[in-house]
Amino acid sequence: MITSPQNRKVKELIRLKKSAKERSSQKVFLVEGPKMFREIPEELCREVYLSESFVSGPEGRIALEKAGRMGCEVQTVADPVFQYLSDTQSPQGILAVARQLSCRMEDLSGKGQKPLILLLENLQDPGNLGTILRTAEAAGATGIVLSRGCADIYSPKVIRSTMGSIFRVPFVYTDHLRETIGIVQRQGVHVYAAHLAGSVDFYETEGRLAEPTAFLIGNESRGLSDETAALADTKVRIPMSGSVESLNAAIAGAVMLFEAKRQRRQSGSEAGLRELDSSCKMIRL
């Protein structure tokens, strides 16, 4: 049992919790809580840490059985040390180290369905990013492209916010978002930019979102940069009542994705989101 916060493994886990650079260097991330642990594909799990009080309960026994099937290293941690490791106020007793998921651009096109892609420019809020991943899965998005200026998708807060969608929605980071937009467009995908100065009412797109579609969404406070917005095929505005000028980035994304889902259901073009092949390789665009 690990009983000291000075333990070598504990120090390593703290570095992984706090540092995106460390997570990237080791190509792993932390997954906390029984539900999220159950979501981990078997081939991705590396290590499992159980609190002393959790391991003796029914969920602890289930976790031990799964960890055994996966061949993961398992260690018990004294409750005060686990509290120190946890990224939440109320630790749930289980923490796992998982191998990072990463995909190729072609994994975002949607096998057997028309692409529905999110292109994110410099989103900074981890909660927003996690919510967007979860919403993307719910709405049937085929993948997400993140600019390098976005928050780290593997931060503990993002991982919690995804509620498991991190394992099922293909995504890539790109160093050159504007070039990536061009790649998407050359594949026949129409790019819509969510923009306050959009000349097209979003709800005037009836029928068009059933075709290959990508939505550009910008930074929470500044929106899309002018240079990026100019690359869109169509700038759209979401009509709003009252004195509200703009929506939270995650909410705007949800509105657009579910309108696309509605149009696809009406046209009969909607297909279930395929499961992500976790063996796919990372590319840096």
Side-chain angles (χ1 to χ4, degrees):
M1 180 188 296
I2 296 175
T3 59
S4 170
Q6 300 305 313
N7 179 279
R8 177 182 61 83
K9 279 290 188 181
V10 172
K11 290 182 177 179
E12 180 179 322
L13 291 169
I14 293 296
R15 289 195 297 271
L16 289 173
K17 179 174 75 169
K18 294 182 176 180
S19 171
K21 183 177 180 180
E22 190 72 23
R23 293 190 291 268
S24 177
S25 173
Q26 296 193 35
K27 300 189 183 307
V28 297
F29 65 105
L30 301 182
V31 176
E32 187 169 358
K35 181 186 185 304
M36 285 296 296
F37 176 69
R38 290 193 295 270
E39 299 278 3
I40 303 175
E42 291 191 2
E43 68 274 13
L44 297 185
C45 189
R46 289 190 174 181
E47 302 168 9
V48 179
Y49 297 86
L50 306 173
S51 71
E52 186 178 7
S53 56
F54 178 83
V55 74
S56 59
E59 284 195 294
R61 289 190 289 273
I62 292 171
L64 279 172
E65 290 176 5
K66 178 175 180 178
R69 291 195 305 271
M70 294 190 293
C72 292
E73 175 188 348
V74 182
Q75 295 205 48
T76 304
V77 182
D79 287 347
V81 179
F82 196 92
Q83 173 79 54
Y84 176 63
L85 285 174
S86 176
D87 194 57
T88 65
Q89 289 294 321
S90 301
Q92 298 180 62
I94 182 168
L95 181 73
V97 179
R99 180 169 61 85
Q100 289 190 0
L101 276 161
S102 47
C103 306
R104 301 163 297 183
M105 191 68 192
E106 49 264 39
D107 291 309
L108 279 60
S109 61
K111 192 173 183 180
Q113 66 184 119
K114 293 178 180 177
L116 178 58
I117 298 169
L118 283 175
L119 302 163
L120 307 180
E121 183 181 43
N122 300 341
L123 262 70
Q124 294 293 299
D125 185 88
N128 265 342
L129 185 53
T131 299
I132 283 175
L133 258 80
R134 189 178 179 189
T135 303
E137 181 182 13
T142 59
I144 298 176
V145 175
L146 305 96
S147 74
R148 190 63 59 194
C150 286
D152 177 25
I153 203 167
Y154 292 114
S155 75
K157 186 173 182 179
V158 174
I159 298 301
R160 286 198 305 276
S161 298
T162 70
M163 297 294 287
S165 295
I166 184 75
F167 298 116
R168 296 182 292 271
V169 179
F171 63 90
V172 297
Y173 274 91
T174 175
D175 293 315
H176 307 287
L177 180 61
R178 293 164 199 167
E179 291 179 15
T180 304
I181 292 169
I183 292 172
V184 168
Q185 290 168 319
R186 288 193 291 275
Q187 296 300 314
V189 178
H190 193 100
V191 176
Y192 296 87
H195 203 283
L196 293 178
S199 59
V200 176
D201 184 314
F202 181 60
Y203 294 113
E204 292 176 1
T205 61
E206 185 64 45
R208 286 184 273 170
L209 304 184
E211 298 305 314
T213 297
F215 294 131
L216 256 175
I217 298 176
N219 177 269
E220 291 89 345
S221 59
R222 299 185 300 275
L224 291 166
S225 65
D226 292 341
E227 295 83 0
T228 298
L231 298 175
D233 297 298
T234 305
K235 292 180 185 177
V236 294
R237 67 182 185 281
I238 298 173
M240 289 174 276
S241 302
S243 301
V244 176
E245 294 183 354
S246 63
L247 294 173
N248 169 282
I251 297 299
V255 168
M256 299 174 81
L257 285 170
F258 275 95
E259 174 61 15
K261 181 178 178 68
R262 183 191 68 80
Q263 292 188 24
R264 290 172 180 226
R265 288 188 67 180
Q266 287 190 342
S267 72
S269 65
E270 183 182 48
L273 177 64
R274 68 186 181 90
E275 290 188 3
L276 173 62
D277 176 5
S278 61
S279 66
C280 60
K281 306 298 183 183
M282 172 63 106
I283 61 169
R284 297 292 183 184
L285 298 170

